[in-house]
Amino acid sequence: MNTSQRQVAWGILGPGTIAHNFAVGLAETPVAKLLAVGGRTPDRLAAFGERHGVERLYGSYEELVADPDLDVIYIATPHSFHLAHGLLAIEAGKGLMVEKPAGLGAGDVEALVEAARKADVFFMEAYKCRCHPQTERLAELLGEGAIGRLEHIEARNGGMLERDPASRLFDPALGGGGILDIGCYPVTTVRLIAGVAKGLPYAEPVTLEASGEIGPTGVDEIAFAELDFGDGLTASIACALRREIEDTLVLTGSKGTIRLPVPWRPGRNAGPSDARIVIEKDDGVREEWLRDPRQLFAFEAEVATQAILEGLKTPRWPAMTAEESILNARVIDRWRDGMGLPVLSSVRSI
Ligand SMILES: NC(=O)c1ccc[n+]([C@@H]2O[C@H](COP(=O)([O-])OP(=O)(O)OC[C@H]3O[C@@H](n4cnc5c(N)ncnc54)[C@H](OP(=O)(O)O)[C@@H]3O)[C@@H](O)[C@H]2O)c1
C-alpha cells in the first residue's frame, strides 16, 4: 500500500449496476482511489472506465486481482460468484469488500471468512445501511432508553418488479429471490437492534417462522418471518420482489416508537443521504435529521478504507464484521429453509 499518499487503491470486479454506485461513493472518499476495474464484457468495461475516469481496465478478473498496486477488491458480481471471486482476490493477496450477501449460504461465507483470515487480508460484507450514521444514532437512542424497553421491531424492504426470468433476481441459478437480495437488510438490522437492546453488538433469534410465496421461476417473490429474540423481544420482517410493501423500520418500546421513513437507501444514487428519525411518545412527536451531502455508498467506502489504513482485518461495529457476516448468513439460511427453499452453496472456482 502506498501509505505516503494515505490513499487506499481499490479495484472493482464486475462493473455492473451497483458497481457504478460504489464508484461514485469511492470518488467522494478522499482516502480512497479507484485505480482499476476488471470485467469480462468489453463494451461494459470501457463505458464504466470512461464514466468513472478509471486508469486501468482489465479484460479479466484474474488480471485485475494480479495488479500489484491494488490493496482491496470490491466484488460486485451476482451472489452466486461471490465465493469464487472472493477467493480469487484473497489468493492474490488482496483484501476484499464483497457485496451482500457475501455468499449463497452460510457455508460460502464461512469459507470466505476463513480464507481471508488465513491469508491475513481485510474482509467486509458491503451492508451500506450499517455504515450510514442513522444506524449508530438508532443504537444511541435505544441505549439512552428513548422509548423505554424495546418490545418489537418491524422491518420491511421491497416492491413490485416485472417478473423477468432473464434477471438474476428471478434466476435460482444466480441466487435469485427476495430473501438473498433485499431480505438480508431486515435480517442484519433486526439482529443489530435486538443486540443493542440486550446490551450486545448483535443477537440471534431463538425461533424464526417463515411464510410467503415462491414464484414460477422458483425464487421467493414475497417472504415474511416472525422472529423471537427472547426476553419479550420479537421482530416481524418482510421482503418482496413482487408486492408493494412499504419500506419500513419501526421500533416499538414500552414508552414509544422510533421510525425510520427511509431505512435502507437514503441517498442511494446521489447525495445528499439525509435521514430522518421520528420518535413518538405520549408527550408528542420529535424528529431528528441526520444530514450529509454525500451519496450513500461513500459511508461504506470510507469505513472500509479507514479500517484498511488502520491495519484492521474487518471493520468496526456497527459495520458488518466478518464474524457477524457468518451469523447473519445463518439466519438467512433459516429463513430460506422455513420457506421450503434449499440452503445453497456456490462453487469455489469458475
Ligand atoms: N448494496 C446494494 O445496494 C446493492 C444493490 C444491488 C445489488 N447489490 C449486489 O451486488 C451484486 C451485483 O448486483 P448488480 O445488480 O449490480 O448485478 P448486475 O448489474 O447484473 O452486474 C453484475 C456484474 O457481474 C458480472 N458477472 C460475472 N459473471 C456473471 C454472470 N455469469 N452473470 C451475470 N453477471 C456476471 C458482470 O460483469 P462483466 O461486465 O464482467 O460481464 C456484471 O457487470 C449482487 O450480489 C447484489 O446483491 C447490492
Side-chain angles (χ1 to χ4, degrees):
M1 188 192 324
N2 185 350
T3 47
S4 61
Q5 290 178 347
R6 301 295 288 164
Q7 265 196 327
V8 168
W10 284 80
I12 289 182
L13 189 157
T17 313
I18 213 58
H20 281 289
N21 292 46
F22 186 68
V24 172
L26 271 183
E28 293 181 347
T29 308
V31 283
K33 178 179 171 60
L34 174 54
L35 182 66
V37 179
R40 312 160 308 165
T41 314
D43 291 354
R44 189 157 49 214
L45 179 65
F48 192 97
E50 190 173 339
R51 176 165 161 194
H52 299 287
V54 187
E55 229 171 82
R56 304 181 191 176
L57 303 181
Y58 293 108
S60 77
Y61 301 150
E62 287 78 6
E63 287 172 274
L64 172 78
V65 300
D67 183 328
D69 297 327
L70 292 175
D71 299 304
V72 56
I73 307 288
Y74 167 72
I75 313 280
T77 47
H79 329 324
S80 48
F81 305 111
H82 289 175
L83 175 61
H85 294 151
L87 292 175
L88 197 65
I90 292 168
E91 281 155 17
K94 304 298 192 294
L96 74 154
M97 179 150 95
V98 58
E99 259 306 342
K100 43 48 63 181
L104 287 182
D108 284 7
V109 184
E110 282 165 27
L112 261 189
V113 168
E114 179 58 14
R117 195 191 58 74
K118 275 196 183 141
D120 200 27
V121 298
F122 181 78
F123 174 93
M124 175 174 169
E125 187 174 12
Y127 273 104
K128 58 194 185 306
C129 60
R130 294 275 299 248
C131 300
H132 188 285
Q134 72 180 9
T135 299
E136 204 162 344
R137 183 60 189 139
L138 210 51
E140 275 173 11
L141 285 166
L142 280 177
E144 290 163 9
I147 53 168
R149 191 174 56 79
L150 186 65
E151 293 169 347
H152 188 69
I153 313 162
E154 183 166 8
R156 294 199 299 258
N157 187 7
M160 184 68 182
L161 296 178
E162 281 294 311
R163 186 181 288 130
D164 174 8
S167 156
R168 66 172 179 81
L169 293 173
F170 292 93
D171 184 351
L174 294 178
I179 294 176
L180 283 169
D181 198 63
I182 49 177
C184 52
Y185 289 104
V187 172
T188 188
T189 301
V190 299
R191 289 181 49 265
L192 176 132
I193 293 168
V196 171
K198 291 170 182 274
L200 302 166
Y202 47 79
E204 307 309 323
V206 183
T207 61
L208 183 155
E209 280 180 32
S211 59
E213 288 173 24
I214 312 295
T217 68
V219 306
D220 57 293
E221 295 190 342
I222 300 154
F224 304 93
E226 296 297 324
L227 286 66
D228 191 333
F229 286 94
D231 307 322
L233 175 57
T234 53
S236 304
I237 59 176
C239 66
L241 297 179
R242 297 265 309 148
R243 185 178 294 174
E244 287 303 345
I245 56 169
E246 194 187 351
D247 287 357
T248 306
L249 180 59
V250 182
L251 282 52
T252 304
S254 54
K255 295 184 181 160
T257 62
I258 300 177
R259 186 166 57 84
L260 266 65
V262 187
W264 317 118
R265 304 174 191 88
R268 180 189 192 266
N269 296 322
S273 58
D274 297 351
R276 187 159 61 105
I277 301 180
V278 184
I279 303 145
E280 194 167 347
K281 300 192 357 186
D282 283 348
D283 57 1
V285 181
R286 175 168 80 77
E287 282 192 358
E288 281 189 17
W289 278 95
L290 302 175
R291 299 193 187 275
D292 197 296
R294 291 175 294 168
Q295 176 249 33
L296 179 55
F297 289 74
F299 297 100
E300 67 179 15
E302 187 180 358
V303 165
T305 305
Q306 291 291 4
I308 292 166
L309 284 169
E310 287 178 46
L312 301 178
K313 299 305 172 197
T314 200
R316 287 194 186 87
W317 186 92
M320 285 286 274
T321 62
E323 174 191 58
E324 211 193 324
S325 286
I326 295 171
L327 297 169
N328 207 63
R330 288 185 186 151
V331 177
I332 292 169
D333 281 355
R334 285 166 69 186
W335 194 359
R336 283 181 58 91
D337 184 51
M339 293 277 297
L341 290 162
V343 168
L344 299 170
S345 58
S346 313
V347 293
R348 295 175 70 96
S349 66
I350 296 166

